Each structure stands twice: as C-alpha cells, then as structure tokens.
Amino acid sequence: MCGRYASTRSPADLAQMFQVTDWHPEETLAPSWNVAPTDEVWAVLERTARDADEDAPAHRRLRPLRWGLVPSWAKDAKIGARLINARVETVHEKPAFRSAFVKRRCLLPADGFYEWEAVKDGKTGKSRKQPYYIHPEDGQVMALAGLYEYWRDPEIRDADDPAAWLLTCTIITTEATDAAGRIHPRMPLALTPDHYDAWLDPRHQSTDDLRTLLTPPADGHLDARPVSPAVNSVRNDGPELLDEVAAP
C-alpha cells in the first residue's frame, strides 16, 4: 500500500526532469512533505488535443490531479477515497482500472514515501505503528507508475464547463523490496527512465507489453529511516517530517 508520500519539487523542475512540453505556470501546488489521499498531486501524462486528428502526436503534460481514482462509470466521486492504489498483479483486470490501464497512464513524481511498521513500545508494552520514510539513496525523484481517469459530474449540465470534469489518479503498487520490504509487504512501483516513453504513450495499448514495464525495482537503491509519528496526521506538513528519530 502507498498512503502517504512527499512531493516537493517545483513544476518548473518537474517539467525539465520529465521533458514536459505542455504545462501552465498558473497551475501551482505547494510543496508537500505529507501528501495524503484526495490531495491534488502533480502528474506527468501524454494527451492529444481533443479536436486533433487521429494521427496527431500526443503532448507530454504536467497537470494537477486528485489522488484517488474515480472510474468514469462511478455514480459518486466519493469512491475515489478507496481507490488510491491499484495492485500490479490485477490492475489490468479490475473494472475500476482496466480501461485506464490501456489508455490513461501517468507518472506521479515523488521524493519518497511513508510506510508503517507495527512495533511494541518498550515503555508501555503496547503495540503501535512506527512510520518510516523510504526514498532513493541518491536523492533522485521517483516516478511512480499511475493511472488517471476523467469523471463527469452529472450535477453540472454544461459539459464544456471545466468544473464538470474531475481528473483523478491512482498509484500502482507491487511487492516490496530492499529497505521497504523490511517494513511493509507492499510499496509503490517506480518506473526507470528508459520506460517513461512507452508507459506514457497513449497509442501503446498492448496489455501484455505494458505489464512487462511494471517490474519491481532491483534491490539496493532505497533507504529507510524512522520518522516522527507527526506524519500520521494529515494536518502536519513540513520538512521536519523527514527528520530521523531514534529507532524503536
């Protein structure tokens, strides 16, 4: 599972890192060290213009999406809070994700993510969950494999009204490896740069080929450190959340 992560890079930096050709500087998101479900997050995706020819090239875009995928057929947007993750083993089969898997894939930039380990408190003897911050050892941005979806709000009559459409996303998870595997059995699946183009290309729709891109990362590239339980509350945000605390 991936339920929290950090994303603090500026949109200008992300546009350069991911070779984005289409982004709007007026669209801004504040840096967050405690990204939570239903928050807006940066996503890299490729789309052709709505009125473009069928063979028109797709443009790589940087857009804010709401974390928690709402399928196009959903009757209520609240379902998104339950669809923040999609398991790599079944993402191509599940009704909520299979259409997006074929046509609407994205990358979600992250500095690192949080997972929790059940530990026994040495003073009280009670069990508690110790948060860990897990991140690349080299400090590079992680490109989390994601899907995105459009949901039409039926309460807004005018389909051309931007408010009539909700754009949401989900993070694909896999079996945890390396430092993450010692803490939690699941982790977000990060793609390597050589797979970005194939993953984002909306014309690439072979389910079998796409699944070959979703391989767990090799061991030895992630580091984990215990951090303050302050991250447990979505009200807390700031770089101090990444500070290491004494190991339980």
Side-chain angles (χ1 to χ4, degrees):
M1 171 161 184
C2 176
R4 302 284 179 83
Y5 67 95
S7 180
T8 65
R9 310 298 175 108
S10 72
D13 287 344
L14 294 176
Q16 183 177 20
M17 290 176 193
F18 291 96
Q19 301 180 324
V20 168
T21 59
D22 184 359
W23 68 286
H24 303 286
E26 67 272 14
E27 292 181 331
T28 61
L29 295 177
S32 178
W33 291 264
N34 196 5
V35 179
T38 72
D39 285 351
E40 285 203 323
V41 299
W42 287 120
V44 178
L45 54 91
E46 291 189 358
R47 295 284 294 177
T48 56
R50 188 167 57 176
D51 56 353
D53 295 335
E54 184 176 342
D55 297 329
H59 295 282
R60 187 165 296 184
R61 305 179 180 186
L62 182 67
R63 299 197 61 174
L65 308 180
R66 195 175 81 173
W67 184 17
L69 188 138
V70 180
S72 60
W73 43 259
K75 295 181 179 179
D76 193 316
K78 293 179 180 179
I79 192 176
R82 304 199 307 270
L83 298 177
I84 63 170
N85 292 161
R87 294 175 66 93
V88 68
E89 297 87 349
T90 57
V91 63
H92 61 296
E93 301 172 336
K94 294 292 186 180
F97 305 125
R98 61 191 179 197
S99 177
F101 183 74
V102 173
K103 300 177 181 179
R104 289 175 291 279
R105 299 175 300 275
C106 62
L107 297 173
L108 302 168
D111 302 332
F113 60 97
Y114 299 95
E115 289 295 358
W116 283 257
E117 179 185 33
V119 297
K120 183 173 288 188
D121 192 302
K123 295 181 179 179
T124 66
K126 296 181 180 180
S127 294
R128 63 180 179 86
K129 289 189 175 182
Q130 170 63 51
Y132 284 79
Y133 179 63
I134 303 168
H135 60 97
E137 289 180 339
D138 59 7
Q140 295 298 308
V141 170
M142 303 179 75
L144 308 184
L147 309 176
Y148 70 97
E149 189 58 272
Y150 291 86
W151 182 75
R152 174 75 167 85
D153 187 340
E155 295 186 1
I156 299 178
R157 292 186 178 182
D158 184 3
D160 291 328
D161 184 343
W165 296 93
L166 178 65
L167 275 71
T168 61
C169 61
T170 191
I171 295 173
I172 296 176
T173 65
T174 187
E175 291 185 3
T177 61
D178 197 39
R182 298 193 294 271
I183 299 165
H184 193 276
R186 305 291 296 183
M187 64 181 283
L189 197 156
L191 293 181
T192 54
D194 57 316
H195 287 166
Y196 292 175
D197 291 348
W199 179 251
L200 293 175
D201 187 351
R203 296 166 297 185
H204 190 182
Q205 299 186 2
S206 167
T207 298
D208 290 340
D209 288 348
L210 290 167
R211 293 189 69 201
T212 64
L213 304 176
L214 300 176
T215 55
D219 290 348
H221 299 293
L222 294 176
D223 191 17
R225 61 175 178 265
V227 294
S228 168
V231 73
N232 295 352
S233 172
V234 297
R235 293 188 294 272
N236 296 326
D237 199 359
E240 67 278 2
L241 294 180
L242 306 188
D243 292 344
E244 186 169 4
V245 301

